[in-house]
Amino acid sequence: MGKPLVKRTLSIFIAIVLALSVAACTKKAEQPAAPEKSEKSEASKEPEKPASIKLMVDGTFITKEAGQDQFVAEYKKMTGVDLIINQPAHNQYYEKVNLAFASQDIPDVLIISGTTMVNYAINGALYDMTDLVDKSPIMQKVGQKYKDAVKINGRLYAFPTQAGNGPITYMRKDWLEKNNLKVPTTYAEYLEVLKVFANDPDQNGKQDTIAFTAPGLVSDDPTTLQNYMVDFYQDASPDFIKKDGKWVDGMLEPEMKAALERMREAYSLGLIDKEIVTNKTSTCRDKFNAGKVGVFTYWAGTWNMNLENELKKAVRDASIVAIPAIKETKYLERVPATMAITSKAANPEGIFKYFFEFMHDGDKGTLLFSHGVEGVHYKVTDGKYEKLPSLQDPKKPANKAFIDNGLQIVPFNDPITPDPRITESLKVFNANSIVSTLLPVSENYTKNSADILTARKETISKIVLGQMTIEEGLAKYEKDTKAITDLILKDFNAAK
């Protein structure tokens, strides 16, 4: 089994950092930290307003170039609280988070999601906000499925910022129409569409198209490893899954053999991009935008608009359609991105009220975190809201401030109407998807998840490319990983 040095080193680094810097935290995840009672809170039940909040965010938060200073000023004007923002380079974010904890320069609030959030939570580095959420009328309006998706042992150590969203299957609508094809509703119909799309669907007399492309046969996103290939995986998953109340390795379940057969057949027929194993998301987008790809499973929402706009630059009359999931499967909504209060924060109750509740108030706070500042990112004329040009690229409308358009998780009468392509693809996705949840806590998983993922990718690639039979590949995978997957499954099944 391969050993990706960077990820292994990072895992070790996290363990060291947490051991050194979080040891002082006395409130472990297994021991929920209820807000301390003070005379003031007992008397007024109103938390003290923090003078400032130290916030650590990645590139998904509004940047300096996009108007962060104006955002911070508006937040101060609306709440009376200073936001002190630390925003490292996006691709170095979690490395900088580790360093911040190691150097004791710990923020009050930070973006932290997925397995990293679990690791920090179980080591006591994050504040348990379960009781605050339960008592908050505002947070009771947040969809329960989003809160449930990020719980650890039934507790909330971080809170969703927006819906998880996920990939949906986009098809070239103009190719469907040109070849008198309907949107497929079953895998058999889907396969027939791919066969046409692989054989001169644009009728230019050339065999220069790719029926289907994806950034790899297995995604890197835990709990949704199959999300870019969902029409082929269908009811199978290469990840750990809960089946009949028990955690199992999806790679060794009967459904996986059928999925591998589907992918292997489609690849041998030339229906899947020959470069799929080495593709990145950016290369897939480039191929799709160049007008060479017929089917691409990618993110619902804003990406519907972006993909079609870019495609039209290469093929003016091209159009795309986001299709409902075929009969045999459902789309997968990713575990929502989350933000957390650290255990070192001096006033978690105040931070919760003036940051988390404000962001999800379904009113002016949600508007600020979604669309930014009036007069900078949008304008209001005679009651009509309209996006202003982006500060970074005046040829485009201003982007989101933090929460994506249409992905708010509270009831919100958004005054800025999204592009109808965004609305429609999200509508189709939400009607045809299920929400993923975090994997249970397991130190064995934390230490070995990167190696297990590498083994899964290698196995599936060799089988689909015809370098091994399905039986040979799965037998080797089981032999190589059984010792550690047994330990992981033992942990998972023992978790509450």
Side-chain angles (χ1 to χ4, degrees):
M1 183 162 48
K3 295 181 179 180
L5 181 60
V6 173
K7 290 184 177 179
R8 176 168 287 278
T9 303
L10 182 58
S11 295
I12 295 170
F13 182 59
I14 291 172
I16 293 172
V17 167
L18 289 173
L20 292 175
S21 65
V22 184
C25 299
T26 57
K27 296 171 182 176
K28 291 288 185 183
E30 294 78 6
Q31 297 172 329
E36 292 183 3
K37 295 180 179 178
S38 65
E39 292 183 2
K40 177 172 178 135
S41 64
E42 286 294 334
S44 65
K45 298 186 183 302
E46 186 72 17
E48 181 180 354
K49 180 187 291 190
S52 63
I53 297 174
K54 290 171 62 179
L55 183 64
M56 190 165 189
V57 293
D58 62 18
T60 60
F61 198 84
I62 188 170
T63 62
K64 283 275 188 182
E65 296 78 10
Q68 187 184 98
D69 289 344
Q70 294 92 325
F71 178 95
V72 169
E74 187 70 9
Y75 178 83
K76 174 68 179 292
K77 179 181 172 184
M78 297 172 78
T79 66
V81 179
D82 281 316
L83 276 184
I84 303 171
I85 297 180
N86 176 9
Q87 187 174 40
H90 188 74
N91 61 356
Q92 299 175 2
Y93 179 68
Y94 280 108
E95 177 185 348
K96 297 299 184 183
V97 168
N98 295 333
L99 291 172
F101 276 80
S103 63
Q104 294 296 308
D105 184 21
I106 299 173
D108 297 316
V109 175
L110 78 165
I111 290 175
I112 188 165
S113 301
T115 54
T116 305
M117 186 269 284
V118 174
N119 291 336
Y120 274 73
I122 64 176
N123 282 282
L126 305 181
Y127 177 79
D128 181 353
M129 62 174 75
T130 311
D131 295 340
L132 296 179
V133 171
D134 288 346
K135 295 175 183 175
S136 167
I138 289 176
M139 294 312 199
Q140 296 314 304
K141 297 177 183 176
V142 173
Q144 189 62 40
K145 65 179 182 180
Y146 299 118
K147 290 182 281 190
D148 290 343
V150 299
K151 284 183 176 177
I152 302 171
N153 294 339
R155 310 295 294 181
L156 282 166
Y157 298 91
F159 200 81
T161 54
Q162 62 177 36
N165 199 16
I168 189 172
T169 296
Y170 294 108
M171 285 192 167
R172 282 287 296 270
K173 185 180 178 184
D174 55 319
W175 287 4
L176 288 172
E177 293 170 348
K178 185 170 286 187
N179 293 279
N180 297 314
L181 295 169
K182 295 181 179 178
V183 169
T185 58
T186 66
Y187 182 67
E189 294 175 359
Y190 176 86
L191 212 55
E192 290 305 309
V193 168
L194 293 188
K195 289 175 181 176
V196 174
F197 282 6
N199 186 26
D200 194 22
D202 52 1
Q203 300 174 10
N204 68 353
K206 300 177 183 178
Q207 297 294 326
D208 60 350
T209 59
I210 300 169
F212 172 88
T213 194
L217 294 161
V218 180
S219 134
D220 291 322
D221 197 356
T223 73
T224 55
L225 297 182
Q226 68 273 41
N227 62 2
Y228 293 121
M229 299 283 294
V230 69
D231 298 309
F232 294 97
Y233 279 104
Q234 298 178 8
D235 58 346
S237 170
D239 207 344
F240 296 105
I241 57 173
K242 201 166 191 179
K243 191 173 183 182
D244 299 327
K246 183 180 179 183
W247 286 94
V248 297
D249 186 349
M251 281 288 289
L252 303 177
E253 292 301 298
E255 297 86 357
M256 181 54 65
K257 289 186 178 180
L260 290 169
E261 188 58 50
R262 285 189 289 271
M263 288 189 277
R264 185 184 176 98
E265 179 192 24
Y267 186 85
S268 69
L269 292 173
L271 307 182
I272 292 178
D273 189 349
K274 294 295 182 186
E275 298 175 338
I276 188 167
V277 174
T278 56
N279 275 343
K280 306 294 183 186
T281 52
S282 58
T283 54
C284 291
R285 291 198 303 267
D286 289 345
K287 291 177 182 179
F288 192 84
N289 294 341
K292 298 300 181 185
V293 175
V295 181
F296 181 29
T297 301
Y298 205 56
W299 295 91
T302 303
W303 275 108
N304 190 159
M305 177 186 68
N306 292 345
L307 286 173
E308 188 168 78
N309 287 348
E310 291 301 313
L311 174 62
K312 283 181 176 294
K313 293 178 181 177
V315 186
R316 189 178 59 183
D317 298 328
S319 59
I320 63 176
V321 57
I323 72 168
I326 59 174
K327 178 182 176 183
E328 293 85 353
T329 194
K330 289 280 189 183
Y331 295 127
L332 298 171
E333 182 166 359
R334 183 176 55 177
V335 176
T338 50
M339 297 189 82
I341 302 171
T342 64
S343 297
K344 292 289 188 182
N347 179 13
E349 297 90 345
I351 291 170
F352 182 80
K353 177 178 176 61
Y354 289 95
F355 187 82
F356 285 83
E357 286 192 339
F358 180 69
M359 178 165 54
H360 294 300
D361 68 357
D363 195 10
K364 294 179 180 178
T366 303
L367 179 63
L368 175 65
F369 277 83
S370 298
H371 298 297
V373 181
E374 182 180 350
V376 179
H377 303 107
Y378 66 90
K379 65 178 181 181
V380 184
T381 307
D382 298 329
K384 182 180 179 182
Y385 288 66
E386 185 179 0
K387 287 272 190 181
L388 287 171
S390 164
L391 298 180
Q392 294 171 282
D393 183 356
K395 295 180 181 177
K396 298 180 179 179
N399 202 353
K400 65 171 182 174
F402 183 43
I403 301 173
D404 274 296
N405 211 344
L407 297 184
Q408 294 91 352
I409 55 176
V410 289
F412 176 53
N413 186 20
D414 196 334
I416 299 180
T417 305
D419 183 287
R421 292 168 293 185
I422 297 174
T423 306
E424 181 60 22
S425 65
L426 288 174
K427 179 181 176 183
V428 174
F429 179 80
N430 290 331
N432 291 269
S433 62
I434 54 176
V435 182
S436 301
T437 56
L438 289 170
L439 294 171
V441 175
S442 165
E443 187 175 345
N444 286 302
Y445 176 78
T446 301
K447 290 179 179 177
N448 296 284
S449 59
D451 289 347
I452 297 292
L453 179 60
T454 298
R456 288 167 171 164
K457 286 185 173 182
E458 289 179 353
T459 301
I460 292 173
S461 295
K462 287 182 178 179
I463 290 173
V464 173
L465 270 57
Q467 298 168 1
M468 301 178 82
T469 67
I470 294 175
E471 290 72 22
E472 289 171 346
L474 292 180
K476 184 176 187 304
Y477 168 82
E478 184 173 19
K479 178 183 177 183
D480 291 348
T481 63
K482 182 173 175 52
I484 188 60
T485 55
D486 280 353
L487 291 175
I488 293 171
L489 290 171
K490 183 179 180 181
D491 290 344
F492 282 0
N493 285 309
K496 296 179 181 177

